[in-house]
Amino acid sequence: MYRFGNTSLKRLGTGSAALQKVLHRAMEISNERKGYTPDWGIAEVLRTQKQQQDRYAQGRDDDGNVVNQAKVITYCDGINNKSYHQSGHAVDVFAYVNGKYNVEPCNLALIATCLMQAASELGMTFEWGGHYRTFYDGCHFNLKPTAAV
Ligand SMILES: [Zn+2]
C-alpha cells in the first residue's frame, strides 16, 4: 500500500488544514488506482518569504529582470506577488518509480488526477502547475483562495 513516508508527512504538516485534507484523500485515491498510478511523495509545502525570494532570484538579475529563462522557476517575487507556498496552500509532489525520485510528466499527470479528484470530492478548487500557460510546473498544486480556508 502506498503511504506518505515520515519526511513527506513532516512537510505536509506545514500546510493548511484544507491542503492536508486533500493530500490525504489523494493518497487514498492513488491506492485505489495502484495498478496504473505511481507511488508519490511531497517535496515541499510551506516556504518563508526569504525562500520564495531566493527562488525568484534564479534566472534574474538584481532588478528582477529575466536574464536566463531556462533557470526561471517562479513568477512570484514573494512580496508583491506571493506564492501559495507562503501561506501553506501549495504543494510540490514527485513520483517514486522503482524506489527513485521521478518527475516525468507522464507520472506527474497520473498523480495529478488523484489530487484533482480529491479536491473536487472535498468541494475545493485545486490548480495544477501542469496546466499553467506561462510555463510547465508539473510538480505543483495549489488551492484557490476561495477554498483556502
Ligand atoms: Zn510549487
Side-chain angles (χ1 to χ4, degrees):
M1 195 179 105
Y2 298 154
R3 65 169 73 96
F4 291 124
N6 288 337
T7 305
S8 285
L9 282 174
K10 198 174 164 189
R11 291 169 179 159
L12 184 55
T14 67
S16 68
L19 186 85
Q20 293 186 39
K21 208 170 158 185
V22 173
L23 272 283
H24 283 295
R25 177 62 190 133
M27 182 54 84
E28 289 174 6
I29 294 169
S30 62
N31 272 294
E32 292 162 10
R33 301 175 181 171
K34 199 171 175 183
Y36 53 95
T37 300
D39 194 4
W40 53 284
I42 296 172
E44 187 174 36
V45 178
L46 190 66
R47 280 181 203 155
T48 63
Q49 180 177 300
K50 172 80 169 69
Q51 288 170 327
Q52 185 62 39
Q53 288 175 301
D54 288 347
R55 279 166 180 73
Y56 184 74
Q58 293 185 39
R60 290 186 172 84
D61 64 18
D62 290 345
D63 295 322
N65 301 308
V66 174
V67 290
N68 186 342
Q69 189 65 47
K71 288 191 174 176
V72 170
I73 55 167
T74 181
Y75 287 86
C76 300
D77 65 10
I79 298 172
N80 298 315
N81 185 11
K82 290 190 178 177
S83 164
Y84 288 105
H85 282 287
Q86 291 174 260
S87 55
H89 297 317
V91 60
D92 296 328
V93 305
F94 59 91
Y96 274 124
V97 177
N98 298 322
K100 287 185 182 159
Y101 174 90
N102 178 294
V103 289
E104 286 176 48
C106 56
N107 289 317
L108 294 173
L110 287 166
I111 295 163
T113 66
C114 300
L115 271 74
M116 300 305 272
Q117 183 181 322
S120 171
E121 283 179 8
L122 294 165
M124 299 183 208
T125 307
F126 232 21
E127 238 175 25
W128 177 37
H131 286 156
Y132 288 170
R133 292 190 179 163
T134 44
F135 70 119
Y136 173 82
D137 191 2
C139 298
H140 176 96
F141 299 84
N142 63 261
L143 286 171
K144 293 295 285 180
T146 49
V149 288

